[in-house]
Amino acid sequence: FASIHRFESLASTNQSALEQSDSVGDLFTALRQTSGRGRRGRSWSSERRCFAGTWTLALGTPNMSPGLMQILAGHAVIATHRILNVNEASMALKWPNDVIQATGEGVGKVAGVLVEGTSKGEQSKIVVGIGVNFASAQSAKPSFPIAHLFDAIPELEVGQYERVLHAIIASYFEHHPKVKGTSQEDHLAVLLDELIRSQEILGSPFYRNEKWFIEDLDAQGNLVLRNDRHETVAVPDGEDLKWPLFS
C-alpha cells in the first residue's frame, strides 16, 4: 500500500524515493532539500517556503513513457493551482517540465518537474519529483527568472497544497481494477490543449532559429511542431527550444 513519508530535510526527495520506496503511489516530501536537482543535473535548492515532493509512479514496466509522465505531472501542478483559484491567464505549462507564472512582480518559473528512474536486473522504478516555489529567502539572483506562488496565493499552507496536489497526482496516475482510469489518448488531448493555450503567455517556440507552432504531443511526450511551410518535426529535448518570453 502507498504511504507518505515526510521529512524536515532531505538531500533529494527523488533520491530518497528511488532508494526507499517500495509501493506505487508512495510520496516523499521535505520542507528543505539540500541537494535537490533539476534536468541535466542542474541544482534545485529548496527553502522552507516551498513544496518538494516525489511520487513513485511505476515499479517494473511502466504503462506510460517517462516523457509523458513528466509533462502530465506539470499539468497536475496547473490543475492544483486552478483549484486554489490562481488566475488561469497567469499560468503556462512550458514543455517539457516547467510551470510558469505571471504576476505584477514579473514572469518566472514557479514549479519544475523531474522524472527519474533506476534499473537493476529485471527490477525498475520510475519516480517524479515536483518542486514549487512559495517564497524565497535567497538573496542571490537566480540564473533563470523565478516566480513565487505567494504572489498569487498569499500565505498558502504547504499542507493544504500537498493534499490537493497529491489527490490530483493519484487521479492522473493511479490504476485500480475497480475504477476506470483516464486513457492515454484523453491525457494527450488535455495536455495538447493546455500547451496551445500556454502559447498566449510564452509565445511560439523557436527551433533551429525558426519560429514554429505547437501541432501535437506524441505518446513519448515529444512536442510536435509545425512551421509556416506546413512541415512538422518531433522535438524530444526542451533544451533545443527557445521561447520568446525568456529569450
Side-chain angles (χ1 to χ4, degrees):
F1 294 92
S3 55
I4 298 177
H5 308 265
R6 296 186 179 91
F7 299 87
E8 284 286 321
S9 178
L10 284 176
S12 161
T13 57
N14 267 23
Q15 192 61 41
S16 292
L18 286 170
E19 293 174 353
Q20 301 174 34
S21 172
D22 53 20
S23 298
V24 172
D26 280 355
L27 168 60
F28 286 73
T29 70
L31 294 175
R32 183 172 179 268
Q33 287 188 113
T34 57
S35 300
R37 54 185 182 254
R39 276 166 50 84
R40 293 182 179 253
R42 297 187 182 98
S43 63
W44 174 281
S45 63
S46 295
E47 302 299 331
R48 271 196 168 270
R49 314 204 82 173
C50 73
F51 172 82
T54 296
W55 287 262
T56 300
L57 298 186
L59 297 172
T61 303
N63 55 17
M64 184 184 297
S65 71
L68 190 54
M69 288 178 178
Q70 187 161 259
I71 191 66
L72 188 56
H75 188 272
V77 175
I78 292 278
T80 297
H81 292 189
R82 283 197 179 100
I83 288 174
L84 295 172
N85 294 317
V86 176
N87 181 4
E88 178 172 291
S90 72
M91 297 186 293
L93 182 60
K94 178 175 170 285
W95 182 87
N97 68 322
D98 290 339
V99 176
I100 304 302
Q101 177 177 294
T103 67
E105 302 296 321
V107 178
K109 176 177 174 178
V110 71
V113 180
L114 179 64
V115 166
E116 293 186 294
T118 59
S119 180
K120 186 176 182 180
E122 296 182 355
Q123 297 180 331
S124 63
K125 181 185 298 184
I126 296 179
V127 304
V128 61
I130 297 177
V132 185
N133 300 310
F134 280 43
S136 177
Q138 295 179 336
S139 58
K141 185 177 180 180
S143 59
F144 189 90
I146 297 297
H148 301 107
L149 192 55
F150 277 173
D151 291 335
I153 317 173
E155 299 305 318
L156 174 69
E157 292 185 1
V158 175
Q160 178 189 6
Y161 188 90
E162 179 193 306
R163 288 190 293 274
V164 177
L165 181 56
H166 186 52
I168 292 174
I169 289 288
S171 70
Y172 282 11
F173 292 102
E174 273 191 5
H175 296 274
H176 193 283
K178 295 184 179 180
V179 179
K180 183 180 179 181
T182 305
S183 71
Q184 180 166 288
E185 289 72 23
D186 290 338
H187 282 313
L188 286 168
V190 169
L191 288 169
L192 179 60
D193 286 345
E194 194 70 62
L195 290 167
I196 290 174
R197 182 196 68 81
S198 295
Q199 285 183 120
E200 298 175 10
I201 292 177
L202 300 171
S204 296
F206 280 76
Y207 177 66
R208 295 177 179 172
N209 298 317
E210 182 179 359
K211 184 178 180 180
W212 296 72
F213 303 91
I214 295 174
E215 175 78 7
D216 204 354
L217 185 72
D218 69 22
Q220 299 305 308
N222 299 324
L223 192 64
V224 180
L225 303 177
R226 168 186 52 82
N227 62 14
D228 288 331
R229 299 186 299 280
H230 299 286
E231 299 168 334
T232 60
V233 61
V235 181
D237 194 337
E239 302 290 331
D240 294 332
L241 299 183
K242 291 185 178 180
W243 301 84
L245 189 65
F246 298 105
S247 60

